[in-house]
Each structure stands twice: as structure tokens, then as C-alpha cells.
Amino acid sequence: MKYIFIACISLFLYSCGNNPEEDHAHDAEGNHVAGDVPAISKTVWTDQTELFVEYPAMVEGKISKFAAHFTSLDKHQPIREGSVTVSLVKGNSGIRNIAEAPSSPGIFSPALQPKEAGIYNLVFDLKTPEYSDRIVIENVRVYESVAEASENVEAAEEAGISFLKEQAWKIDFQTAPVSKGEVYDIVHTSGVWQAAPGTFKTIAAGANGMVNFVSENLTEGSQVKKGQLLLTLSSEGLSSNNMQAEIAQAKARYDQAKAEYERKKELYEDRIVPRSEFEKVESDFRVAEANYRALASNYGAGGKQIRAPFDGFIKSINTSNGDYVEQGANLIAIGTDRSRLLKTQLSATYNPSKETIANVWYRNDVGDWKSALDSGGTIVSVGKEVQDGKPMIPVYVKVNYLVEMPEGSFTEVQIALGQAETGIVVPEAALLEDYGSYSVIVQTGGESFERRPVRIGKRNGKSAQVLSGLQEGDVVVTTGNYQVKMASMSGQTPGHGHEH
């Protein structure tokens, strides 16, 4: 049993305006009477926070100081800034005390001095710069005396594995609640990354000329911005196919056609020339205008300008600096990795179709499994037949987010087929494997853990179905479980390191 000895210390407490009182017992003559108050510990999880609190059992008239450990579940780090208000509430009345800041990272030390015995709710209101949370522990008993508390508070069971909060806060550590989820039959295969349709564009020469790269760093893989000038086509010094001369001639024809159009328009409106004559002049003018604007488009200093059509990267360069190219020649291809096509394959024995494929996962560049169907990804097509020597059905999946893997590279793929089954699932990272047997580290309390054998079923690389050994609501360690396992193998229980 864990005990906290209430020493002769003057503890000042503000509780609903009450004056501080001394935290030790006295007999009728005012002499000190020593007494051990049994300790209680509770662990409560919300969606945002884990609270592990230790405190002496509350006794009428005595001050109970709390060691409240608050962990942000986002990155499993201690709360370093903020305040905690602890309240003891029954009905519409109660007492409270505020800890304006942690006494040490993650640990707040408020205190309460209950006035009457009874059953209460113990409420912790956490306020941090990032978020607020409320944690309620129901049916907390305040005893009439230390003796009554000692008789009724059950001794805490010894933890199978002791791993202090301070230890967990110093390492990469994370937990997750066990929940129900969908599991499928999984097929393990591989895939290759391809450019998705519409995610690249080949830019052709709009005129004859000499290629001039704007930057020396124009290489395959370089990032480009929409509208960025990439290269120019210059016809300066050429006796034929000279762009400047062609633009000047087109401008002259355009000006002449425009003047003729405006003159004929006035005569047509005055009914001096027939409609057919005016329409021919108008047609000649529109053709001359379109020809001139096409030639002059993107023409500037240095010649015809070639610009990036969208944000992306240079996929390929099909020319060299100083080359002469003719109009229509492919110059450069711009691509984007914001969307990719994943080509994978399945055996024809699965009789795959778009309707029978429930999900597709791939292993990304850092080794994590990601769903290809997130962010609007879709199964584009599934092959309908096999060929001699190729007994596999191709499956094409469009992935609609950034893929940090080069085109043509291979990746591991898992394909979910058929109807889903609902069952208990845990993150794949929670599993510990020993010679084909599996176990998980279950957090039974704030600083107590146990290693529990489990029997697993279907797996998809990200989650695993648990057939036995866990219940919904259990909390398992997903990151740092090997450190907890090593603590269990050391055969030693670490000394209590709280800085209360």
C-alpha cells in the first residue's frame, strides 16, 4: 500500500475564500497526533488529455494535496504551461483551489480541505495556451476520520511494470485506445508509381528559333512556379523563318486590314457597299488580327518566351541550350507530384473489380502505410483479362496528394478485398512479436503497465485485428513499447522520481 505521510508543514490553501489551516491533527490539548493517510491514485483519459493523479484519501477537516500529472495526448508530452482548478462538488455547492502553473513540467499541485464527509465529484479544469479540458472523477468519498479512511481504502495492487511519467515524457512515447474497426481480407503485392493523366504537360515550340536557357540550373527535377520564364526561342540573325520579320509583316497586314475594315464598316452602315463585300473585309481583318496576336503572344526581349504552365517540377528536357528547333518541336515537360497513378496488380484468381476492392494501402517514402484512397483518391480501372505469360490483373489507383517517391519507383502495396468485418483492432505498431507469438503493452494506470499476450487475425499493415487478449477501451502503448518491455525485463522497479 502506498502512503503519504502528512508531516508538520504549514500549507496555505485558498479554497472558496477560506483561510489556510495547518495540515496536521491535534488532540484536545493541542498536541500533535501523527497519522498515516492512505494514498489513492486515479487515471482518466479524455480525447485530448491523460490525467494521472495521486492524493491522500480525503478526510473531513484535513488538507489533501494532489500530485496531478497532465499529459497532452497529441504528442504525449507534459503540460508545461497553464493552470489547473480542482473542485470538490456535491449538488450545487463545493470548494475549489487553483494551481496557477505546474510545480514541475506536467505536474500540478493544488490542494483541498473538505469540510464535511460524504460522496462528491472531483473535477479538474485544465487551461493551457493550446486548449482547455475538463476531467471528472465521480463518487469520490470524503471520510470522517483517518481511521475510517484506513479501513475503507483498498491497497493498490502492485504494478506489473512500473514506468514513471517522467520516463515516458523524456522519450518518444504514445498510447492509443483499443477500439472496434473494420478489417478485410488483405492481399500483399507491389506497385509502381506513374504520372497521373493531367498532371504533366509537354510544351512545344511556338516558332522556329535558337533555344536559350534562362537559367543555368534548368535541369530535370528542378522546381518551377506557374508563369516562371524557362527559356526563349530567338530567330535573330536568321535570313529565313525570322520571328521578328514575321511579326512585323503580320503587324503590317493587321493594321492594313483593320483600316480597310473600319472604312468598309462606315460605308456598309450608310448602305453604300453590299453586305457580302463588308463580310469579306471583316473576315480578312479577323484572320489578320488572330495571326498577329498568335505570333506576338509571349514574345519579348530575347525572342519567344516559354513559361511554366503551373507549379511543379521539370519532368524532362528534350532540347539543349543553343539548339535550333522548328515550330511544334517538343521542348520541355512540366509535371506535378500532387497527384500520382499507382499501378499494381492482382492474381486473376481473386476475380477483382472496382466494386470488390475496398481499399489500397502503400508504404510511403518513410516506411509508413498510407491509404491511397484518402483525399479523394479513386480506383481508376481494373483490368478485364489476362495475357499469356502474364496471369495478373492490372489495377490503377489515383492518389490525390503529395507523393515523395519518384516516378518509376516500386512500393509495397496491400489491397483490401470483399466485405469488412467489425472487430477489435489495434495499431500495427502496438504489436510485439516473439517467435511468431504476439503481445502488447497495456497501460493499466498512469505509471503501471502489463505485457499481455494477444491472438491476432487479419492485418492491413496499419491495423491488426485482435481475436483475444484485449477489450474495447483498453489503452495500449504504440510508441515506446520496447522501452517499457525492457523495463519489465530489468527485474527492478525504478525509484519514484516525481518532483511533487
Side-chain angles (χ1 to χ4, degrees), residues 304-457:
K304 194 78 169 179
Q305 297 177 340
I306 305 299
R307 297 182 178 273
F310 48 75
D311 291 349
F313 63 93
I314 297 177
K315 183 176 171 64
S316 63
I317 300 176
N318 303 315
T319 186
S320 299
N321 195 30
D323 283 353
Y324 173 81
V325 295
E326 295 185 352
Q327 184 175 355
N330 290 339
L331 299 177
I332 194 168
I334 308 296
T336 175
D337 48 12
R338 294 291 177 181
S339 179
R340 286 285 185 85
L341 197 66
L342 177 61
K343 179 186 177 182
T344 184
Q345 53 189 6
L346 280 171
S347 171
T349 57
Y350 293 107
N351 192 26
S353 67
K354 293 176 68 174
E355 291 72 26
T356 59
I357 297 177
N359 208 338
V360 177
W361 293 273
Y362 70 90
R363 197 182 289 277
N364 64 13
D365 58 309
V366 295
D368 297 330
W369 287 100
K370 295 200 68 172
S371 171
L373 302 187
D374 287 347
S375 302
T378 57
I379 299 172
V380 178
S381 65
V382 178
K384 300 298 184 183
E385 60 183 19
V386 296
Q387 301 175 359
D388 293 340
K390 296 181 179 180
M392 303 295 283
I393 297 292
V395 178
Y396 291 88
V397 185
K398 187 178 181 183
V399 180
N400 275 346
Y401 46 77
L402 182 65
V403 176
E404 297 284 359
M405 301 177 76
E407 292 178 22
S409 62
F410 285 85
T411 183
E412 295 179 62
V413 174
Q414 296 183 112
I415 301 178
L417 295 174
Q419 297 297 318
E421 295 180 12
T422 300
I424 297 294
V425 296
V426 296
E428 186 90 9
L431 296 177
L432 297 171
E433 182 179 4
D434 288 312
Y435 302 103
S437 298
Y438 293 92
S439 62
V440 295
I441 301 296
V442 179
Q443 185 176 8
T444 57
E447 297 178 330
S448 58
F449 300 80
E450 68 176 27
R451 187 177 178 187
R452 191 178 299 174
V454 294
R455 186 165 62 92
I456 65 171

Side-chain angles (χ1 to χ4, degrees), residues 16 18 40 83 122 142 202 209 283 297 348 363 370-371 396 402 438 449 469:
C16 287
N18 289 347
I40 295 175
S83 64
L122 188 60
V142 174
T202 299
S283 176
S297 175
R363 197 182 289 277
K370 295 200 68 172
S371 171
Y396 291 88
L402 182 65
Y438 293 92
F449 300 80

Side-chain angles (χ1 to χ4, degrees), residues 83-305:
S83 64
V84 169
T85 300
V86 60
S87 306
L88 191 65
V89 181
K90 180 164 62 173
N92 296 323
S93 61
I95 58 175
R96 69 174 182 271
N97 183 233
I98 301 176
E100 298 290 352
S103 54
S104 61
I107 302 176
F108 293 78
S109 304
L112 291 175
Q113 185 177 20
K115 298 178 180 179
E116 297 181 6
I119 304 298
Y120 296 80
N121 285 342
L122 188 60
V123 183
F124 292 85
D125 287 299
L126 172 68
K127 292 184 178 180
T128 76
E130 291 77 27
Y131 72 98
S132 298
D133 205 355
R134 166 168 282 201
I135 302 172
V136 180
I137 303 176
E138 298 180 342
N139 300 322
V140 174
R141 185 173 177 183
V142 174
Y143 297 94
E144 293 182 352
S145 64
V146 173
E148 183 186 18
S150 299
E151 292 175 0
N152 288 276
V153 175
E154 296 182 359
E157 296 183 2
E158 291 295 329
I161 306 172
S162 179
F163 201 75
L164 303 184
K165 300 307 299 181
E166 288 86 349
Q167 290 176 282
W169 289 337
K170 290 178 181 178
I171 65 173
D172 193 9
F173 194 87
Q174 192 59 266
T175 61
V178 175
S179 61
K180 287 187 176 180
E182 294 183 339
V183 289
Y184 296 84
D185 288 320
I186 299 297
V187 177
H188 297 264
T189 181
S190 62
V192 62
W193 290 108
Q194 299 180 352
T199 60
F200 67 94
K201 182 176 182 180
T202 299
I203 304 174
N208 301 330
M210 306 292 292
V211 176
N212 295 311
F213 286 3
V214 174
S215 171
E216 295 179 356
N217 297 324
L218 195 66
T219 57
E220 293 184 4
S222 300
Q223 296 293 321
V224 295
K225 296 291 185 181
K226 181 178 180 179
Q228 178 181 337
L229 181 61
L230 304 177
L231 52 87
T232 61
L233 298 175
S234 174
S235 57
E236 184 178 357
L238 298 178
S239 58
S240 61
N241 296 322
N242 188 296
M243 177 61 64
Q244 284 182 299
E246 291 181 7
I247 292 176
Q249 292 173 3
K251 179 66 165 58
R253 286 193 292 267
Y254 165 65
D255 291 340
Q256 183 180 7
K258 182 179 180 182
E260 181 68 9
Y261 165 73
E262 291 174 347
R263 188 175 68 85
K264 290 289 187 181
K265 184 178 181 182
E266 292 180 0
L267 294 174
Y268 171 70
E269 290 173 349
D270 293 338
R271 300 180 182 274
I272 297 175
V273 297
R275 180 183 181 87
S276 60
E277 184 177 342
F278 169 70
E279 288 179 346
K280 182 180 184 306
V281 171
E282 183 181 28
S283 176
D284 293 341
F285 164 65
R286 299 301 180 195
V287 171
E289 180 183 35
N291 185 47
Y292 166 65
R293 296 196 184 282
L295 288 172
S297 175
N298 292 326
Y299 191 86
K304 194 78 169 179
Q305 297 177 340

